[in-house]
Amino acid sequence: MSLPLEALVKVRQQNIALLFCDYLKSHQVQTQVVKETDGFVIYCQQDQYEFARQEFEQFIANPSHAKYQQAAWHNGNITALDDNTPSLLSSFKAQFFQHAGGVTLVVFALCWAAFMLSNFGWAQAVFYHLQFYPTLSVEAMLQAPHRLLGPAFIHFSWLHIAFNTMWWWQLGGSIERLLGSTNLFALLVVSALVSNVGQYLVDGPNFGGLSGVVYALVGYVWWYGWLMPEKGLALSTPIIGFMLFWLLLGYTSFMPINVANTAHLLGLVSGCLFAYGKFCQTKWLN
């Protein structure tokens, strides 16, 4: 039986609208997507409006969560796209910028700018200005404070930067959208500082990469999702297992390259502690 429907929200992308509708259908909520000139309107049955609104707030904060993909798979509907559907490239660009906030995009751009400059003949200059201090001292830090964080923006291969910036965009974007730019920026600064200083003390100044920060994001999302699962920020168990396995693998002799193991470990620990601090702050405010 068809029930009265009420407009819930308008989105720009058809695939986002359809994905959320599939999720609502998995909860036995009737839905419909109506195309308008500037987007797609999601309708839901009137008696489930408040439930749908709350679910959409969680969905838009993390639309890539596995439960939404699983709902679409189980629903099994095939929707024909009309000729006005955005191209694959434009759809990718829209999703890329929608997922990432200002901090996420700036750090992403800085990493790629430094990498491209290095590949076009300025490698020595980039490394000289961003590497950690050859000798750590108060005087050196006062003269060039940016070097405390600088190594995070240096990458040495295409695989290196692709891996790090992909995870930064995915996890950093989710954190920034759900918890705000200030929270992500603080996590970036603290984890880069801790991982860079620790790596320097163990192996000296010749290192680089955003991976210490990436492991901080992994630790943060992992523990935040465990401590406050109702917030919708989480990593699947296989992903956590893969990242921990990769961390442990760096301490073995199987890796053909030098790995900044200390930066990875300290980044992970700092991210976990940061999430615990956020949990305590939330509970105290409530």
Side-chain angles (χ1 to χ4, degrees), residues 224-264:
Y224 192 90
W226 175 53
L227 293 168
M228 291 180 282
E230 71 279 2
K231 300 295 184 179
L233 186 66
L235 271 179
S236 65
T237 301
I239 293 296
I240 296 171
F242 168 78
M243 297 301 287
L244 294 179
F245 171 77
W246 190 259
L247 174 67
L248 294 175
L249 190 64
Y251 283 94
T252 70
S253 59
F254 295 105
M255 297 295 288
I257 56 175
N258 292 326
V259 179
N261 297 311
T262 302
H264 295 175

Side-chain angles (χ1 to χ4, degrees), residues 133 140-150:
Y133 312 102
M141 288 188 289
L142 292 176
Q143 288 180 350
H146 67 279
R147 287 193 175 192
L148 285 167
L149 309 180

Side-chain angles (χ1 to χ4, degrees), residues 153-230:
F153 302 97
I154 305 172
H155 292 86
F156 304 111
S157 70
W158 289 96
L159 181 61
H160 190 203
I161 190 171
F163 183 86
N164 282 344
T165 54
M166 177 195 72
W167 281 111
W168 165 260
W169 172 82
Q170 177 63 43
L171 299 178
S174 296
I175 293 171
E176 186 169 11
R177 291 185 62 187
L178 184 63
L179 302 175
S181 300
T182 302
N183 198 75
L184 178 62
F185 182 76
L187 180 57
L188 165 69
V189 172
V190 170
S191 61
L193 181 63
V194 169
S195 59
N196 286 347
V197 171
Q199 187 63 39
Y200 166 80
L201 294 176
V202 173
D203 286 327
N206 296 321
F207 63 91
L210 196 64
S211 50
V213 176
V214 167
Y215 267 97
L217 301 183
V218 171
Y220 186 88
V221 175
W222 174 21
W223 273 42
Y224 192 90
W226 175 53
L227 293 168
M228 291 180 282
E230 71 279 2

Side-chain angles (χ1 to χ4, degrees), residues 3-20:
L3 299 174
L5 301 181
E6 181 176 352
L8 176 67
V9 68
K10 178 188 289 185
V11 297
R12 292 186 177 181
Q13 296 182 38
Q14 186 181 34
N15 59 339
I16 291 293
L18 294 175
L19 183 63
F20 181 65

Side-chain angles (χ1 to χ4, degrees), residues 179 182-183 220 224 227-228 273-286:
L179 302 175
T182 302
N183 198 75
Y220 186 88
Y224 192 90
L227 293 168
M228 291 180 282
L273 293 177
F274 215 86
Y276 183 71
K278 183 68 175 178
F279 169 74
C280 293
Q281 179 188 29
T282 302
K283 292 300 181 183
W284 183 76
L285 292 175
N286 292 336

Side-chain angles (χ1 to χ4, degrees), residues 14-24 59 63-64 68-72:
Q14 186 181 34
N15 59 339
I16 291 293
L18 294 175
L19 183 63
F20 181 65
C21 284
D22 282 332
Y23 177 70
L24 288 183
F59 167 76
S64 59
Y68 304 119
Q69 303 296 332
Q70 186 177 16

Side-chain angles (χ1 to χ4, degrees), residues 40-58:
F40 299 86
V41 179
I42 300 173
Y43 286 81
C44 69
Q45 63 187 70
Q46 291 180 348
D47 61 342
Q48 294 292 331
Y49 181 87
E50 186 60 28
F51 168 77
R53 184 189 64 79
Q54 294 176 1
E55 288 297 322
F56 184 78
E57 290 178 358
Q58 295 184 28

